[in-house]
Amino acid sequence: MNLEGDLDVKTRGGLWPGKPPLTYRDPLFIGQLRNHRFPHLKSPSSVCFCVTRLTVTTYNIAIMENVYKMWVEGKEAEGGAEQLAIEDPATGEVFAQCHAASAGDVDSVVKTAHKVFKSGVWSKAPRHVRADTLDRIAELLTRSLPRLIELEVRQTGRAIREMNAQVPTLTKWFKYYAALIRTEERSVLPTVGKLHNWIDRKPLGVVAQITPFNHPMLIAVKKIAPALAAGNSIVLKPSELTPLTSIELGKLMKEAGLPDGVFNVLPGDGMTTGKALVEHPLIKKVDVTGGTPAGRAIGAIAGRNLAHYTAELGGKAPLIVFEQAHVDLAVNGIVFASFIASGQTCVAATRIIVQNKILDQVVEKLKAKVQSIERRMGSPKNVESMMGPLISAKQLGNVETLVNDAKDAGVTIVTGGQRMNRQSSLDDTDFSKGYFYPPTILADSASRKIVDTRIWKEEAFGPVIVVVGFDTEEEALNLANDSEFGLGAAIWTQDLSQAFRVSENIESGICWVNTHHRNDPSSPWGGIKSSGVGSENGIDAYNAYTTSKSTIINYATAQEGLGSDDWFREGTGEVRYG
């Protein structure tokens, strides 16, 4: 499409925070077209265009075709906030736009979800109806895997070999909670006298779920499945960086028969959409996965509203390798624990604590393994690629800052430690266009201890590990527990007694022995210390989406009641209190 006229160019800062403003020298830049009419566009002033060639009087403009909308009341809906530009982290290309919710949108959707909850169409539906719906969601999810995996790879930059392994497992959460509500037993409590006391569990109402960019579908499903099983209505706010597959989940749930308005997706940023959502007085629970500072702020708001709260927050997971470990197995375990998802997981093993007797051996094997990963990095769409980019320029900058701080302090860079700007030897991917950072190992130098640097304490959320040595079991535990966080931890040893002893004393919500990242719907997943409140998965997560209701029935006869239950009767005699 060729157009002549003035183009009001929007700076890159509005679409890509952290990058410099666009100039006329940029080969590709984003603008908004003003004062032109297109009969097929409802709001031309809000449509983004990619300008690919500029002449004195002519602009060649390609309209962004991939536009995603909010998912509200079982259908797509336009949002009132500024649209989100969804970027491919491997190329830096904006490949989609996504509608975002304004504060007014949030208010309207929460109120509607509340009405749906009160109607009882889902909250009071028989258990077998809810269970059957969850099973149908699992079935449809299985059918949709290729399309969802492709989209998840595009928006996250995660290697497709990871997504091919992870995404198919999500059906287990829907199946698990379907089975749980089919088989759940209710307590009948012992009482004195002719009383029958049982405990029921009731859904809370409208719940807010806030999910991060690193595992968009996995973390969403871990929250959605127990909330739906319990009978709640959901308003989900996905990360503004990766909202697309969450919207697709909404469409899939409608097809499975979930009533309209029970599940809603409101993309948007934290300061507008997220804030309005967690502050809403009709929200009865907030379930968030994210950073610790955000978790503290959200928790304070939830507390003011007396809303239930679950938070899975930051981590700085230790991984201890004892001399009794099988070294090759331990090295394989370390690289998986540390570099899956490019290190962008809250349980990533970032502090590797190795017994000094095997330290040199472990470091050499780690170095070889890590360099092998780097050699086989390429496009995330390539099934042979081992690791993808970081999610954004901002996240890349965070990693570079912490690594450079350690470099300046004088620690040893065993391998990696600098942004990738070359072409891939695997498939010629141009790393300089995306946010690629190599798997990196840092260690003590003769003059500087890694434990004295910021990266020992602070969460980098990238493919960077630090390696330290120890002599005694007590020293290993002190190093492992030297953190404000307490989410995941791991131990590698062939000594079973040592495994029990050390795992009992590690300060973490999850501890793996001779493995890592194992995650089952039945197994609680949550942290202690600054890593969060409550847990995902299992019966605990289901119960956290409910409130208990105690019902006591007096089945004594009228004559028995008149004889023992008239507290204010005339005369004396034994009368029951309460």
Side-chain angles (χ1 to χ4, degrees), residues 205-253:
V206 183
V207 299
Q209 299 177 339
I210 300 176
T211 55
F213 65 79
N214 54 338
H215 302 280
M217 279 200 293
L218 171 63
I219 294 176
V221 165
K222 288 167 69 176
K223 299 180 189 300
I224 292 165
L228 289 181
N232 297 283
S233 293
I234 299 170
V235 180
L236 173 72
K237 193 207 87 67
S239 166
E240 61 270 28
L241 300 175
T242 57
L244 306 184
T245 47
S246 296
I247 295 169
E248 294 302 306
L249 283 176
K251 300 174 184 177
L252 185 148
M253 291 181 199

